Coordinates of all heavy atoms in Angstrom, one line a residue:
D6 N -8.6 21.9 48.8 CA -9.7 22.7 49.1 C -9.3 24.2 49.3 O -8.4 24.5 50.0 CB -10.4 22.1 50.2 CG -11.7 22.7 50.5 OD1 -12.3 23.6 49.7 OD2 -12.4 22.4 51.4
I7 N -10.0 25.1 48.6 CA -9.7 26.5 48.6 C -10.8 27.3 49.2 O -10.7 28.5 49.6 CB -9.2 26.9 47.3 CG1 -8.6 28.3 47.3 CG2 -10.5 26.9 46.4 CD1 -7.9 28.7 46.1
V8 N -12.0 26.8 49.3 CA -13.2 27.6 49.5 C -13.2 28.1 51.0 O -13.6 29.4 51.2 CB -14.6 26.8 49.3 CG1 -15.8 27.5 49.8 CG2 -14.6 26.3 47.9
H9 N -12.7 27.4 51.9 CA -12.6 27.8 53.3 C -11.8 29.2 53.4 O -12.1 29.9 54.3 CB -12.0 26.8 54.2 CG -10.6 26.6 54.1 ND1 -10.1 25.8 52.9 CD2 -9.5 26.8 54.8 CE1 -8.8 25.8 53.2 NE2 -8.4 26.4 54.2
T10 N -10.9 29.4 52.5 CA -10.1 30.7 52.5 C -10.8 31.9 52.3 O -10.4 33.0 52.5 CB -8.8 30.5 51.6 OG1 -9.2 30.3 50.3 CG2 -8.0 29.4 52.1
M11 N -12.1 31.7 51.7 CA -12.8 32.8 51.2 C -14.2 32.9 51.9 O -15.2 33.4 51.5 CB -13.1 32.7 49.7 CG -12.0 32.8 48.8 SD -12.3 32.8 47.1 CE -12.0 31.1 46.7
Q12 N -14.1 32.4 53.2 CA -15.2 32.5 54.1 C -14.8 33.1 55.4 O -13.7 33.6 55.5 CB -15.8 31.0 54.4 CG -16.3 30.4 53.1 CD -16.8 29.0 53.4 OE1 -16.5 28.4 54.3 NE2 -17.5 28.4 52.4
H13 N -15.8 33.2 56.3 CA -15.6 34.0 57.6 C -14.2 33.4 58.2 O -13.9 32.3 58.1 CB -16.7 33.6 58.6 CG -18.0 34.4 58.3 ND1 -18.2 35.6 58.6 CD2 -19.0 33.9 57.5 CE1 -19.4 36.0 58.1 NE2 -19.9 35.0 57.5
W14 N -13.6 34.2 59.0 CA -12.4 33.9 59.7 C -12.5 32.6 60.5 O -11.6 31.8 60.4 CB -11.8 35.0 60.5 CG -10.6 34.8 61.5 CD1 -10.7 34.6 62.9 CD2 -9.3 34.6 61.1 NE1 -9.5 34.4 63.4 CE2 -8.6 34.3 62.3 CE3 -8.6 34.5 59.9 CZ2 -7.2 34.0 62.3 CZ3 -7.4 34.2 59.9 CH2 -6.6 33.9 61.0
H15 N -13.5 32.4 61.3 CA -13.7 31.2 62.1 C -13.8 30.0 61.2 O -13.3 28.9 61.6 CB -14.8 31.4 63.1 CG -16.2 31.3 62.4 ND1 -16.8 32.6 61.9 CD2 -17.0 30.3 62.2 CE1 -18.0 32.2 61.5 NE2 -18.2 30.8 61.6
V16 N -14.4 30.1 60.1 CA -14.5 28.9 59.1 C -13.2 28.6 58.6 O -12.6 27.4 58.6 CB -15.5 29.1 58.0 CG1 -15.5 28.0 57.0 CG2 -16.9 29.4 58.6
Y17 N -12.5 29.6 58.1 CA -11.1 29.4 57.6 C -10.1 28.8 58.7 O -9.5 27.8 58.4 CB -10.4 30.8 57.2 CG -9.0 30.8 57.1 CD1 -8.4 30.0 56.0 CD2 -8.1 31.4 57.9 CE1 -7.0 29.9 55.8 CE2 -6.8 31.3 57.8 CZ -6.2 30.6 56.7 OH -4.8 30.5 56.6
R18 N -10.2 29.3 59.9 CA -9.4 28.8 61.0 C -9.7 27.3 61.3 O -8.8 26.5 61.5 CB -9.5 29.6 62.2 CG -8.5 30.7 62.4 CD -8.4 31.3 63.8 NE -7.9 30.3 64.7 CZ -8.3 30.4 66.0 NH1 -9.0 31.3 66.4 NH2 -7.8 29.5 66.9
K19 N -10.9 27.0 61.4 CA -11.3 25.6 61.7 C -10.7 24.6 60.7 O -10.1 23.7 61.1 CB -12.8 25.6 61.6 CG -13.4 24.1 61.7 CD -14.9 24.2 61.6 CE -15.5 22.8 61.4 NZ -17.0 22.8 61.3
W20 N -10.9 25.0 59.4 CA -10.4 24.0 58.4 C -9.0 24.0 58.2 O -8.2 23.1 57.9 CB -11.1 24.2 57.1 CG -12.5 23.8 57.1 CD1 -13.6 24.6 57.4 CD2 -13.0 22.5 57.3 NE1 -14.8 23.9 57.5 CE2 -14.4 22.5 57.5 CE3 -12.5 21.2 57.2 CZ2 -15.3 21.5 57.7 CZ3 -13.3 20.1 57.4 CH2 -14.7 20.2 57.7
N21 N -8.4 25.2 58.5 CA -6.9 25.4 58.4 C -6.2 24.5 59.5 O -5.2 23.9 59.3 CB -6.4 26.8 58.4 CG -5.0 27.1 58.2 OD1 -4.4 26.4 57.3 ND2 -4.5 27.9 59.0
E22 N -6.7 24.6 60.7 CA -6.2 23.9 61.9 C -6.4 22.4 61.6 O -5.5 21.6 62.0 CB -7.0 24.3 63.1 CG -6.6 25.6 63.6 CD -7.4 26.1 64.8 OE1 -8.1 25.3 65.4 OE2 -7.3 27.3 65.2
R23 N -7.5 22.0 61.1 CA -7.7 20.6 60.8 C -6.6 20.0 59.7 O -6.1 18.9 59.9 CB -9.0 20.3 60.3 CG -10.1 20.4 61.5 CD -11.5 20.0 61.0 NE -12.4 20.2 62.1 CZ -13.6 19.9 62.1 NH1 -14.2 19.4 61.0 NH2 -14.4 20.0 63.2
L24 N -6.4 20.7 58.7 CA -5.4 20.4 57.7 C -4.0 20.4 58.3 O -3.2 19.4 58.1 CB -5.4 21.3 56.5 CG -4.4 21.0 55.5 CD1 -4.6 19.6 54.9 CD2 -4.5 22.0 54.3
F25 N -3.8 21.3 59.2 CA -2.4 21.4 59.8 C -2.3 20.1 60.7 O -1.2 19.5 60.7 CB -2.2 22.6 60.7 CG -0.9 22.6 61.4 CD1 0.2 23.1 60.9 CD2 -0.9 22.2 62.7 CE1 1.4 23.1 61.6 CE2 0.3 22.2 63.5 CZ 1.4 22.6 62.8
E26 N -3.3 19.8 61.5 CA -3.2 18.6 62.4 C -3.0 17.4 61.6 O -2.3 16.5 62.0 CB -4.4 18.6 63.2 CG -4.4 19.6 64.3 CD -5.9 19.8 65.0 OE1 -6.7 18.8 64.7 OE2 -6.1 20.7 65.7
E27 N -3.7 17.3 60.5 CA -3.6 16.1 59.7 C -2.1 15.9 59.1 O -1.5 14.9 59.1 CB -4.6 16.1 58.5 CG -4.5 15.0 57.6 CD -5.5 15.1 56.4 OE1 -6.6 15.8 56.6 OE2 -5.3 14.5 55.4
M28 N -1.5 17.1 58.7 CA -0.2 17.0 58.1 C 0.8 16.8 59.2 O 1.8 16.1 58.9 CB 0.1 18.3 57.3 CG -0.8 18.4 56.1 SD -0.4 20.0 55.1 CE 1.2 19.6 54.5
F29 N 0.6 17.4 60.4 CA 1.5 17.1 61.5 C 1.5 15.7 61.9 O 2.6 15.2 62.2 CB 1.2 18.1 62.7 CG 2.2 18.0 63.7 CD1 3.5 18.6 63.5 CD2 2.0 17.4 64.9 CE1 4.5 18.6 64.5 CE2 2.9 17.4 66.0 CZ 4.2 17.9 65.7
K30 N 0.4 15.1 62.0 CA 0.3 13.7 62.4 C 0.9 12.8 61.4 O 1.7 11.9 61.8 CB -1.2 13.4 62.6 CG -1.4 12.1 63.3 CD -2.9 11.7 63.4 CE -3.5 12.7 64.5 NZ -4.9 12.4 64.8
A31 N 0.8 13.2 60.1 CA 1.5 12.4 59.1 C 3.0 12.5 59.3 O 3.7 11.5 59.1 CB 1.0 12.9 57.7
F32 N 3.5 13.6 59.6 CA 4.8 13.8 59.8 C 5.3 13.0 61.0 O 6.4 12.4 60.9 CB 5.2 15.4 60.0 CG 6.6 15.6 60.4 CD1 7.7 15.5 59.5 CD2 6.9 16.0 61.7 CE1 9.0 15.7 59.9 CE2 8.3 16.1 62.2 CZ 9.3 16.1 61.2
E33 N 4.6 13.2 62.0 CA 5.0 12.3 63.2 C 5.0 10.9 63.0 O 5.8 10.1 63.6 CB 4.0 12.6 64.4 CG 4.2 14.0 65.0 CD 3.3 14.2 66.2 OE1 2.1 13.8 66.1 OE2 3.8 14.6 67.2
M34 N 4.2 10.4 62.1 CA 4.1 8.9 61.9 C 5.0 8.5 60.7 O 5.0 7.3 60.3 CB 2.6 8.5 61.5 CG 1.7 8.7 62.6 SD 0.0 8.5 62.1 CE 0.0 6.7 62.1
G35 N 5.8 9.4 60.2 CA 6.8 9.2 59.1 C 6.2 9.1 57.7 O 6.9 8.6 56.9
R36 N 5.0 9.6 57.6 CA 4.4 9.6 56.2 C 4.5 10.9 55.5 O 4.1 11.0 54.4 CB 2.9 9.2 56.4 CG 2.6 7.8 56.9 CD 1.1 7.5 56.9 NE 0.3 8.8 57.2 CZ -0.8 8.9 57.9 NH1 -1.3 7.8 58.3 NH2 -1.3 10.0 58.1
A37 N 5.1 11.9 56.2 CA 5.4 13.1 55.4 C 6.9 13.5 55.7 O 7.4 13.4 56.8 CB 4.5 14.2 56.0
A38 N 7.6 14.0 54.7 CA 9.0 14.3 54.9 C 9.2 15.7 55.6 O 10.3 15.8 56.2 CB 9.6 14.4 53.5
K39 N 8.3 16.5 55.6 CA 8.5 17.9 56.2 C 7.5 18.1 57.4 O 6.4 17.8 57.4 CB 8.2 19.0 55.1 CG 9.3 18.9 54.1 CD 9.1 20.1 53.2 CE 10.1 20.1 52.0 NZ 9.9 21.2 51.0
D40 N 8.1 18.8 58.4 CA 7.4 19.2 59.6 C 6.5 20.5 59.2 O 7.3 21.5 58.9 CB 8.3 19.4 60.7 CG 7.7 19.8 62.0 OD1 6.5 20.2 62.0 OD2 8.4 20.0 63.0
P41 N 5.3 20.5 59.2 CA 4.6 21.6 58.9 C 4.7 22.9 59.8 O 4.7 24.0 59.3 CB 3.1 21.2 58.9 CG 3.1 20.0 59.8 CD 4.4 19.4 59.6
T42 N 5.3 22.7 61.0 CA 5.6 23.8 61.8 C 6.7 24.7 61.3 O 6.8 25.8 61.6 CB 6.0 23.4 63.3 OG1 7.2 22.5 63.2 CG2 5.0 22.6 63.9
E43 N 7.5 24.1 60.4 CA 8.6 24.8 59.8 C 8.2 25.8 58.6 O 8.9 26.6 58.2 CB 9.7 23.9 59.3 CG 10.3 23.1 60.4 CD 11.3 22.2 60.0 OE1 11.6 22.1 58.8 OE2 11.8 21.4 60.8
F44 N 7.0 25.5 58.0 CA 6.7 26.2 56.8 C 5.1 26.8 56.8 O 4.9 27.5 55.9 CB 6.9 25.4 55.5 CG 6.1 24.2 55.5 CD1 4.8 24.2 55.0 CD2 6.6 22.9 55.9 CE1 4.0 23.1 54.9 CE2 5.9 21.8 55.7 CZ 4.6 21.8 55.3
W45 N 4.4 26.4 57.8 CA 2.9 26.6 57.7 C 2.6 28.2 57.6 O 1.8 28.5 56.7 CB 2.3 26.0 58.9 CG 0.8 25.9 58.7 CD1 -0.2 26.6 59.1 CD2 0.2 24.9 57.8 NE1 -1.4 26.2 58.7 CE2 -1.2 25.1 57.9 CE3 0.7 23.8 57.1 CZ2 -2.1 24.2 57.2 CZ3 -0.2 22.9 56.5 CH2 -1.6 23.2 56.5
Y46 N 3.2 29.0 58.5 CA 2.8 30.4 58.5 C 3.1 31.0 57.1 O 2.3 31.5 56.6 CB 3.6 31.1 59.6 CG 3.4 32.5 59.6 CD1 2.1 33.1 60.1 CD2 4.3 33.5 59.1 CE1 2.0 34.5 60.1 CE2 4.1 34.8 59.0 CZ 2.9 35.3 59.6 OH 2.8 36.7 59.5
Q47 N 4.3 30.9 56.7 CA 4.7 31.6 55.5 C 3.9 30.9 54.2 O 3.7 31.5 53.3 CB 6.2 31.5 55.2 CG 6.7 32.5 54.1 CD 6.3 33.9 54.4 OE1 6.4 34.4 55.5 NE2 5.8 34.6 53.3
G48 N 3.8 29.6 54.3 CA 3.2 28.9 53.2 C 1.7 29.4 53.0 O 1.2 29.4 51.9
E49 N 0.9 29.7 54.1 CA -0.4 30.2 54.0 C -0.4 31.6 53.4 O -1.3 31.9 52.5 CB -1.1 30.2 55.4 CG -1.5 29.0 56.0 CD -2.6 28.3 55.0 OE1 -3.8 28.7 55.0 OE2 -2.3 27.2 54.4
I50 N 0.5 32.4 53.7 CA 0.6 33.7 53.0 C 0.9 33.6 51.6 O 0.2 34.2 50.7 CB 1.7 34.6 53.7 CG1 1.3 34.9 55.1 CG2 2.0 35.8 53.0 CD1 2.3 35.7 56.0
A51 N 1.8 32.7 51.2 CA 2.1 32.4 49.7 C 0.8 31.8 49.1 O 0.6 32.2 47.9 CB 3.3 31.5 49.7
F52 N 0.2 31.0 49.7 CA -1.0 30.4 49.2 C -2.2 31.5 48.9 O -2.8 31.5 47.8 CB -1.7 29.3 50.1 CG -2.8 28.5 49.5 CD1 -2.7 27.9 48.3 CD2 -3.9 28.4 50.1 CE1 -3.8 27.1 47.8 CE2 -5.0 27.7 49.6 CZ -4.9 27.0 48.5
F53 N -2.4 32.4 49.9 CA -3.3 33.5 49.6 C -2.8 34.4 48.5 O -3.5 34.7 47.6 CB -3.4 34.4 50.9 CG -4.4 33.9 51.9 CD1 -4.1 33.4 53.1 CD2 -5.8 34.0 51.6 CE1 -5.0 32.9 54.0 CE2 -6.7 33.7 52.5 CZ -6.3 33.0 53.7
D54 N -1.5 34.7 48.4 CA -1.0 35.7 47.4 C -1.0 35.0 46.1 O -1.2 35.7 45.1 CB 0.4 36.2 47.8 CG 0.3 37.1 49.0 OD1 -0.7 37.5 49.5 OD2 1.4 37.3 49.6
G55 N -0.6 33.8 46.0 CA -0.4 33.2 44.7 C -1.7 32.4 44.1 O -1.7 32.2 42.9
H56 N -2.6 32.0 45.0 CA -3.8 31.3 44.4 C -5.2 31.9 44.9 O -5.9 32.1 44.1 CB -3.7 29.8 44.9 CG -2.4 29.1 44.5 ND1 -2.3 28.7 43.2 CD2 -1.3 28.8 45.2 CE1 -1.1 28.1 43.1 NE2 -0.5 28.2 44.2
V57 N -5.3 32.1 46.1 CA -6.6 32.4 46.7 C -7.1 33.8 46.2 O -8.2 34.0 45.6 CB -6.6 32.4 48.2 CG1 -8.0 32.8 48.8 CG2 -6.3 31.0 48.8
I58 N -6.2 34.8 46.4 CA -6.7 36.2 46.1 C -6.7 36.4 44.5 O -7.7 37.0 44.1 CB -5.7 37.1 46.8 CG1 -5.9 37.1 48.3 CG2 -5.9 38.7 46.2 CD1 -4.9 38.0 49.2
P59 N -5.8 35.8 43.8 CA -6.0 35.9 42.3 C -7.3 35.3 41.9 O -8.0 35.8 41.0 CB -4.8 35.2 41.8 CG -3.7 35.4 42.8 CD -4.4 35.4 44.1
L60 N -7.6 34.1 42.4 CA -8.8 33.4 42.0 C -10.1 34.3 42.4 O -11.1 34.4 41.6 CB -9.0 32.0 42.7 CG -10.3 31.3 42.5 CD1 -10.6 31.0 41.0 CD2 -10.3 30.0 43.3
A61 N -10.0 34.8 43.6 CA -11.1 35.6 44.1 C -11.4 36.9 43.2 O -12.5 37.2 43.0 CB -11.0 36.1 45.5
K62 N -10.3 37.4 42.7 CA -10.4 38.6 41.9 C -11.0 38.2 40.5 O -11.8 38.9 40.0 CB -9.0 39.2 41.7 CG -8.5 40.0 42.9 CD -7.1 40.6 42.6 CE -6.6 41.4 43.8 NZ -5.3 41.9 43.6
K63 N -10.6 37.1 40.0 CA -11.1 36.6 38.7 C -12.7 36.2 38.9 O -13.5 36.6 38.0 CB -10.4 35.3 38.2 CG -9.0 35.7 37.7 CD -8.4 34.5 37.1 CE -7.0 34.7 36.9 NZ -6.7 35.2 35.5
L64 N -13.0 35.6 40.0 CA -14.5 35.4 40.3 C -15.3 36.7 40.3 O -16.3 36.8 39.8 CB -14.6 34.7 41.5 CG -14.1 33.2 41.6 CD1 -14.3 32.6 43.0 CD2 -14.9 32.3 40.6
K65 N -14.7 37.7 41.0 CA -15.3 39.1 41.0 C -15.4 39.6 39.6 O -16.5 40.2 39.2 CB -14.7 39.9 41.9 CG -15.3 41.4 42.1 CD -14.6 42.2 43.0 CE -15.2 43.6 43.1 NZ -14.6 44.6 44.0
Q66 N -14.3 39.6 38.9 CA -14.3 40.2 37.6 C -15.3 39.5 36.6 O -16.0 40.2 35.8 CB -13.0 40.0 37.0 CG -12.7 40.5 35.6 CD -11.3 40.3 35.1 OE1 -10.7 39.3 35.4 NE2 -10.8 41.2 34.3
C67 N -15.5 38.3 36.6 CA -16.4 37.6 35.7 C -17.9 37.6 36.3 O -18.8 37.4 35.6 CB -16.0 36.2 35.4 SG -16.1 35.0 36.7
G68 N -18.0 37.9 37.6 CA -19.3 38.0 38.1 C -20.1 36.7 38.3 O -21.4 36.7 38.4
V69 N -19.5 35.6 38.1 CA -20.2 34.3 38.1 C -21.1 34.0 39.3 O -22.1 33.4 39.2 CB -19.2 33.1 37.8 CG1 -18.3 32.9 39.0 CG2 -19.9 31.9 37.4
F70 N -20.6 34.4 40.5 CA -21.4 34.3 41.7 C -22.2 35.6 42.1 O -22.6 35.7 43.4 CB -20.6 33.7 42.8 CG -20.0 32.4 42.6 CD1 -18.7 32.3 42.2 CD2 -20.9 31.3 42.6 CE1 -18.1 31.0 42.0 CE2 -20.3 30.1 42.4 CZ -19.0 29.9 42.1
G71 N -22.4 36.5 41.3 CA -23.1 37.8 41.6 C -22.4 38.5 42.7 O -21.2 38.5 42.8
V72 N -23.2 39.0 43.7 CA -22.6 39.7 44.9 C -21.7 38.9 45.8 O -20.9 39.4 46.5 CB -23.7 40.4 45.7 CG1 -24.5 41.5 44.9 CG2 -24.6 39.5 46.3
S73 N -21.9 37.6 45.8 CA -21.1 36.7 46.6 C -19.6 36.7 46.1 O -18.8 36.6 46.9 CB -21.6 35.2 46.5 OG -22.8 35.1 47.0
S74 N -19.4 37.1 44.8 CA -18.0 37.3 44.4 C -17.3 38.4 45.2 O -16.0 38.2 45.5 CB -17.9 37.6 42.9 OG -18.6 36.5 42.2
D75 N -18.0 39.4 45.5 CA -17.4 40.5 46.3 C -17.1 40.0 47.7 O -16.0 40.3 48.2 CB -18.4 41.7 46.4 CG -18.5 42.5 45.1 OD1 -17.6 42.5 44.3 OD2 -19.5 43.1 44.9
E76 N -17.9 39.2 48.2 CA -17.7 38.6 49.5 C -16.5 37.7 49.5 O -15.7 37.7 50.5 CB -19.0 37.9 50.0 CG -20.2 38.8 50.3 CD -21.4 38.0 50.6 OE1 -21.4 36.8 50.7 OE2 -22.4 38.6 50.9
F77 N -16.4 36.8 48.5 CA -15.3 35.9 48.4 C -13.9 36.7 48.6 O -13.0 36.4 49.3 CB -15.3 35.1 47.1 CG -16.4 34.1 47.1 CD1 -17.0 33.7 45.9 CD2 -17.0 33.6 48.3 CE1 -18.0 32.8 45.8 CE2 -18.1 32.7 48.3 CZ -18.6 32.3 47.0
L78 N -13.8 37.8 47.7 CA -12.6 38.6 47.6 C -12.4 39.3 49.0 O -11.3 39.2 49.5 CB -12.8 39.6 46.5 CG -11.4 40.5 46.4 CD1 -10.1 39.7 46.2 CD2 -11.6 41.5 45.3
N79 N -13.4 39.9 49.6 CA -13.3 40.6 50.8 C -12.8 39.6 52.0 O -11.9 39.9 52.7 CB -14.6 41.3 51.2 CG -14.8 42.4 50.3 OD1 -14.0 43.0 49.8 ND2 -16.1 42.8 50.2
Y80 N -13.4 38.4 52.0 CA -13.0 37.4 53.0 C -11.6 37.0 52.8 O -10.9 36.8 53.7 CB -14.0 36.3 53.1 CG -15.3 36.5 53.8 CD1 -16.5 36.2 53.2 CD2 -15.3 37.1 55.0 CE1 -17.6 36.5 53.9 CE2 -16.4 37.4 55.7 CZ -17.7 37.1 55.1 OH -18.9 37.3 55.8
A81 N -11.3 36.7 51.5 CA -9.8 36.3 51.2 C -8.9 37.4 51.7 O -7.9 37.0 52.4 CB -9.7 36.0 49.7
L82 N -9.1 38.6 51.4 CA -8.2 39.7 51.9 C -8.2 39.8 53.3 O -7.1 40.0 53.9 CB -8.6 41.1 51.2 CG -8.5 41.1 49.6 CD1 -9.2 42.3 49.1 CD2 -7.0 41.0 49.4
E83 N -9.3 39.8 54.0 CA -9.4 39.9 55.4 C -8.8 38.7 56.1 O -8.0 38.9 57.1 CB -10.9 39.9 55.9 CG -11.6 41.3 55.6 CD -13.0 41.2 55.9 OE1 -13.5 40.3 56.7 OE2 -13.7 42.1 55.5
N84 N -8.9 37.5 55.6 CA -8.3 36.4 56.2 C -6.7 36.3 56.0 O -6.0 35.9 56.9 CB -8.8 35.0 55.6 CG -10.3 34.7 56.0 OD1 -10.8 35.3 57.1 ND2 -11.0 33.9 55.3
R85 N -6.4 36.7 54.9 CA -4.9 36.9 54.7 C -4.3 37.8 55.7 O -3.3 37.7 56.4 CB -4.5 37.4 53.3 CG -3.1 37.2 53.0 CD -2.5 38.4 52.3 NE -1.1 38.4 52.0 CZ -0.1 38.8 52.7 NH1 -0.4 39.3 53.9 NH2 1.1 38.6 52.3
H86 N -5.0 39.0 56.0 CA -4.6 40.0 56.9 C -4.7 39.4 58.4 O -3.6 39.6 59.2 CB -5.4 41.2 56.9 CG -5.1 42.3 57.8 ND1 -4.0 43.1 57.7 CD2 -5.7 42.8 59.0 CE1 -3.9 43.9 58.8 NE2 -5.0 43.8 59.5
E87 N -5.6 38.8 58.7 CA -5.8 38.1 60.0 C -4.7 37.1 60.3 O -4.1 37.0 61.3 CB -7.2 37.5 60.2 CG -8.3 38.5 60.4 CD -8.2 39.2 61.7 OE1 -7.9 38.6 62.8 OE2 -8.4 40.5 61.7
W88 N -4.5 36.3 59.2 CA -3.5 35.2 59.3 C -2.1 35.9 59.6 O -1.2 35.4 60.4 CB -3.4 34.5 58.0 CG -2.3 33.4 58.1 CD1 -1.1 33.4 57.5 CD2 -2.4 32.1 58.9 NE1 -0.4 32.3 57.9 CE2 -1.2 31.5 58.7 CE3 -3.4 31.6 59.7 CZ2 -0.9 30.3 59.3 CZ3 -3.1 30.4 60.3 CH2 -1.8 29.8 60.1
E89 N -1.8 37.0 58.8 CA -0.5 37.7 59.1 C -0.4 38.2 60.5 O 0.7 38.1 61.1 CB -0.5 38.9 58.1 CG 1.0 39.4 57.8 CD 0.9 40.4 56.6 OE1 -0.1 41.0 56.4 OE2 1.9 40.5 56.0
L90 N -1.5 38.6 61.2 CA -1.5 39.1 62.5 C -1.5 38.0 63.5 O -0.8 38.1 64.6 CB -2.6 40.0 62.7 CG -2.7 41.4 61.9 CD1 -4.0 42.1 62.2 CD2 -1.5 42.2 62.3
K91 N -2.2 36.9 63.3 CA -2.6 35.9 64.3 C -2.1 34.5 64.0 O -2.2 33.6 64.8 CB -4.1 35.9 64.6 CG -4.6 37.2 65.0 CD -6.1 37.0 65.1 CE -6.7 38.4 65.5 NZ -8.3 38.3 65.5
G92 N -1.5 34.3 62.9 CA -1.2 33.0 62.3 C 0.0 32.3 63.0 O 0.1 31.1 62.9
K93 N 1.0 33.0 63.5 CA 2.1 32.4 64.1 C 1.8 31.7 65.4 O 1.2 32.1 66.2 CB 3.2 33.5 64.3 CG 4.0 33.7 63.0 CD 5.2 34.4 63.2 CE 6.0 34.6 62.0 NZ 7.2 35.2 62.1

């Protein structure tokens, strides 16, 4: 799921935390090989840079969602910045 990354910061944090908790629980129970605490912060930055922001730019470029396309890109950029400051 990628949509939460292009919404308000509190929406992004809510779903990001839930995904982290799910992955951490899976690690603790032996169902995941990697501990997400070791890669989560940097992984989110890479996800924004490699997937979220390029997608938001393409959505804006094609204008498929009208003015919402601008909002998607702005939220993606703002959330990436907030994550860089507060994500650790």
Side-chain angles (χ1 to χ4, degrees):
D6 187 5
I7 196 169
V8 175
H9 70 286
T10 61
M11 294 184 262
Q12 296 178 345
H13 291 275
W14 170 250
H15 69 276
V16 173
Y17 164 70
R18 267 195 62 209
K19 172 184 173 180
W20 291 105
N21 188 44
E22 287 175 10
R23 288 182 179 187
L24 179 59
F25 176 85
E26 289 170 8
E27 181 180 332
M28 292 180 73
F29 187 72
K30 194 176 290 184
F32 172 72
E33 286 184 315
M34 296 174 76
R36 294 184 326 214
K39 294 184 180 179
D40 179 353
T42 62
E43 296 176 9
F44 62 83
W45 198 260
Y46 174 77
Q47 195 59 43
E49 284 296 293
I50 291 173
F52 187 58
F53 273 108
D54 292 347
H56 299 286
V57 176
I58 293 170
L60 174 61
K62 286 179 178 178
K63 286 184 191 271
L64 291 173
K65 181 179 178 179
Q66 183 181 28
C67 70
V69 70
F70 292 110
V72 295
S73 294
S74 298
D75 289 332
E76 291 176 1
F77 294 153
L78 178 57
N79 289 337
Y80 282 130
L82 293 168
E83 288 174 15
N84 287 340
R85 191 224 185 264
H86 178 72
E87 287 292 315
W88 180 257
E89 204 169 23
L90 297 175
K91 301 175 182 175
K93 278 195 175 177

